Amino acid sequence: MKWNLVSNIAKLRVSLMTWLALSLLALSPLKALAEDKPTAAEFDYQGFTQQYFEAWKGSQKPDATQEDLEHYLSFLTDDVGYQHLPWSDDDSRQPDGKAALRKGMTYYLASHDEYSAKLTNQAYGHNVIMIEFHTVAKGTHPDNGQLTLHDNSAFEVLEIDDGKVSVIRHYSN
């Protein structure tokens, strides 16, 4: 007996539609997973770096406000780790990492009379951003009232997790 396309077209059509429906159902969860998170290629490292640095500068200016500080902190995870040798040698992420930075930065908020910073170098990839910047600052130290002067370069390595900074490693004199 010979197979006849015309007499079996209805069966063929049902089989193809069933196969297509099952294929789409099988691929749907994969598509949803792919849409949940931007890939590393989709993350705008350049834009994020510029916005982060501008927010940092805003938190250091002479007339910095609590809102400026909160804007900067919005770039960080709640459990951000912070290391600034030799003052802080632990870079582990802590549940209260952002709260600890908020407390420390609030203490020094608006303690500069003059402040400028220029981003001099940047590189990024693989969920890491490196920035190098030069800072010139003058102010009064809140602990002892003495004049502080800074004119130095700093280097930071920022680890990125879900579009936010999760670890900051700060290197400067």
Side-chain angles (χ1 to χ4, degrees):
M1 180 166 189
K2 204 170 176 188
W3 189 78
N4 184 337
L5 178 64
V6 174
S7 62
N8 289 305
I9 195 111
K11 289 181 186 176
L12 184 58
R13 184 173 175 221
V14 169
S15 296
L16 284 173
M17 291 186 73
T18 303
W19 178 83
L20 180 61
L22 290 174
S23 296
L24 289 174
L25 284 173
L27 294 175
S28 291
L30 297 175
K31 183 178 185 281
L33 285 174
E35 291 174 354
D36 280 350
K37 249 180 158 174
T39 65
E42 293 171 340
F43 184 75
D44 181 8
Y45 286 101
Q46 177 74 26
F48 183 89
T49 301
Q50 293 299 320
Q51 292 173 16
Y52 172 87
F53 188 70
E54 290 303 316
W56 165 255
K57 284 190 339 185
S59 73
Q60 301 300 304
K61 63 187 180 181
D63 59 348
T65 64
Q66 195 66 39
E67 289 78 26
D68 294 319
L69 177 56
E70 290 303 319
H71 178 62
Y72 167 70
L73 293 172
S74 73
F75 288 85
L76 313 179
T77 61
D78 289 338
D79 64 345
V80 65
Y82 180 79
Q83 179 183 44
H84 184 178
L85 294 169
W87 299 279
S88 171
D89 62 357
D90 182 6
D91 68 352
S92 59
R93 294 171 73 171
Q94 301 294 322
D96 65 341
K98 187 189 286 191
L101 275 176
R102 179 181 289 112
K103 181 179 178 184
M105 291 179 74
T106 298
Y107 183 72
Y108 290 98
L109 192 64
S111 64
H112 294 126
D113 299 322
E114 298 173 21
Y115 182 83
S116 67
K118 180 179 180 188
L119 189 60
T120 57
N121 195 10
Q122 60 186 314
Y124 35 80
H126 308 291
N127 295 323
V128 173
I129 297 172
M130 179 282 301
I131 59 174
E132 186 175 16
F133 53 98
H134 186 83
T135 301
V136 176
K138 177 182 162 191
T140 305
H141 197 284
D143 282 338
N144 56 26
Q146 292 187 354
L147 179 66
T148 60
L149 299 170
H150 300 282
D151 186 348
N152 62 352
S153 290
F155 184 89
E156 287 189 351
V157 177
L158 312 171
E159 291 183 15
I160 306 299
D161 187 7
D162 272 339
K164 292 194 174 216
V165 176
S166 60
V167 176
I168 301 168
R169 290 185 182 88
H170 182 90
Y171 305 91
S172 68
N173 292 336

